Amino acid sequence: MTSLLESDVFLAFSSYATIVILKMMLMAPMTGYYRITRGAFANEEDLHLHGKSADKKLLRTHPDVERVRRCHQNDLENIIPFVLIGLLYTLTGPDLGTALLHFRLFAGSRIFHTIAYVGMLPQPSRGLSWALGMLVTFSMAYQVLSKVLYL
Amino acid sequence: MTSLLESDVFLAFSSYATIVILKMMLMAPMTGYYRITRGAFANEEDLHLHGKSADKKLLRTHPDVERVRRCHQNDLENIIPFVLIGLLYTLTGPDLGTALLHFRLFAGSRIFHTIAYVGMLPQPSRGLSWALGMLVTFSMAYQVLSKVLYL
Amino acid sequence: MTSLLESDVFLAFSSYATIVILKMMLMAPMTGYYRITRGAFANEEDLHLHGKSADKKLLRTHPDVERVRRCHQNDLENIIPFVLIGLLYTLTGPDLGTALLHFRLFAGSRIFHTIAYVGMLPQPSRGLSWALGMLVTFSMAYQVLSKVLYL
């Protein structure tokens, strides 16, 4: 195991993978914040969080809550594939500079994607940041398949 | 590869990771069970599962089904980050006792979270078990970043 | 790291894992295609994609879009557990023939699952392909636990 920690590519991958996963996890408290401030809950047992009355009318959806949840879902659909394919890519021993370029572009694109999504920035800002993240993962997947293909 | 299997931390991680992933996967048959018993389906081609008539009125949502699906979604949002960050944490060679404490707390918190969610236990039981799982993953992420940071 | 690349099981796992993750990622552009052709959007800022008018009536759901999204969600719930448990399984050093059988059955079952879901094939085609994928992952999980169990 120590040999992995001597690889700069592995250190860089671990750093960026951890950062983008933490970014994804922060969507959960953000959803909670919007649920409480907007008064829009999914579970009956959560209603007391908004006030003492536990009004069942608050079992509803709210556009702000749904927006944060879509952003969270988009993270699941993009960040987890990046981490999984990125791990395989790292283990194929890529050039450090190339690997760093992939990791940095992905992390930057996903942080900007969240700002664009939650901040309702006009398109194509969100679309382009999503597409850049997809391209980074596709590029790593191509390099994995070209090195390891064994079907 | 044999060197990984000689590490007790890796054996422990593999055991707990497999167990929490299996727990997450069991939400799928549970959703199916509630869909059939409650008569609430998402796909037209599934209607015959409830009876011969294939009544289109059964293309609806049901609170019990939605509750299990939210629990499944919460697992995706928490268990997968735990496994990914836990793998990186394991590869940084932590102390066995510390690692076991993290893994056991997480597995316990997520099993209790499912019981609290599906069983509609009063808050803050579900909230606290969710927060404990998040804290375990944040703690591992902190230790990964403090050991490997390379940006 | 080079030792992993000398293992045929690891090469096979990396190939099949990358292929099923790519298949999952292709659901996102497919969702986009249906959103644009069916005129059913989730975000106000996306409305201009359908035409110049940005008609707010297009902020709606459409059965075809929801079907593709359910298929994508089912991929998240099944393909990610396969990749995570498959990685642990690969690291326990299984027999190459047995491992290839698992990986091929899973990849085939998920590709067929997507065809059955999006193509609305009559049941039990979708149900059986889903169950086969679950069984493959359960089988690998069983073999991981029987080799590494350390609680």
Side-chain angles (χ1 to χ4, degrees), chain A residues 62-129:
Chain A
H62 186 284
D64 295 349
V65 175
E66 297 308 302
R67 179 173 286 275
V68 178
R69 292 182 65 221
R70 286 197 300 275
C71 185
H72 198 169
Q73 182 73 12
N74 197 278
D75 276 352
L76 283 173
E77 293 168 5
N78 288 275
I79 286 176
I80 294 166
F82 164 80
V83 174
L84 294 173
I85 288 182
L87 176 64
L88 300 176
Y89 170 71
T90 299
L91 294 174
T92 62
D95 173 61
L96 177 62
T98 317
L100 277 172
L101 182 67
H102 282 81
F103 302 158
R104 286 172 182 161
L105 277 177
F106 186 85
S109 75
R110 293 309 301 184
I111 290 168
F112 183 76
H113 179 270
T114 303
I115 296 169
Y117 214 146
V118 178
M120 277 192 75
L121 299 193
Q123 288 279 30
S125 57
R126 196 188 87 231
L128 287 181
S129 57

Side-chain angles (χ1 to χ4, degrees), chain A residues 38-57:
Chain A
R38 270 37 170 196
F41 296 93
N43 296 300
E44 217 173 296
E45 65 269 30
D46 302 352
L47 292 176
H48 76 279
L49 292 169
H50 191 66
K52 290 175 189 167
S53 54
D55 188 348
K56 284 208 185 183
K57 280 184 198 161

Side-chain angles (χ1 to χ4, degrees), chain B residues 35-99:
Chain B
R35 282 203 183 283
I36 292 170
T37 54
R38 272 31 171 200
F41 296 92
N43 296 299
E44 216 171 299
E45 65 268 29
D46 302 351
L47 293 177
H48 76 280
L49 292 169
H50 191 66
K52 289 177 189 168
S53 55
D55 187 348
K56 285 208 184 182
K57 279 183 198 163
L58 298 181
L59 286 176
R60 59 182 180 183
T61 59
H62 187 284
D64 294 349
V65 175
E66 297 308 303
R67 179 173 286 275
V68 177
R69 291 183 64 222
R70 286 197 300 275
C71 186
H72 198 168
Q73 182 72 13
N74 197 278
D75 276 352
L76 283 173
E77 293 169 4
N78 288 276
I79 287 176
I80 295 166
F82 164 80
V83 175
L84 294 174
I85 288 183
L87 176 64
L88 299 176
Y89 169 70
T90 299
L91 294 175
T92 62
D95 174 61
L96 177 62
T98 317

Side-chain angles (χ1 to χ4, degrees), chain A residues 13-53:
Chain A
F13 167 71
S14 300
S15 305
Y16 284 100
T18 303
I19 287 169
V20 291
I21 293 173
L22 287 176
K23 191 229 79 58
M24 178 172 78
M25 292 178 75
L26 289 176
M27 303 312 288
M30 199 188 286
T31 304
Y33 169 79
Y34 277 103
R35 282 203 184 283
I36 290 170
T37 55
R38 270 37 170 196
F41 296 93
N43 296 300
E44 217 173 296
E45 65 269 30
D46 302 352
L47 292 176
H48 76 279
L49 292 169
H50 191 66
K52 290 175 189 167
S53 54

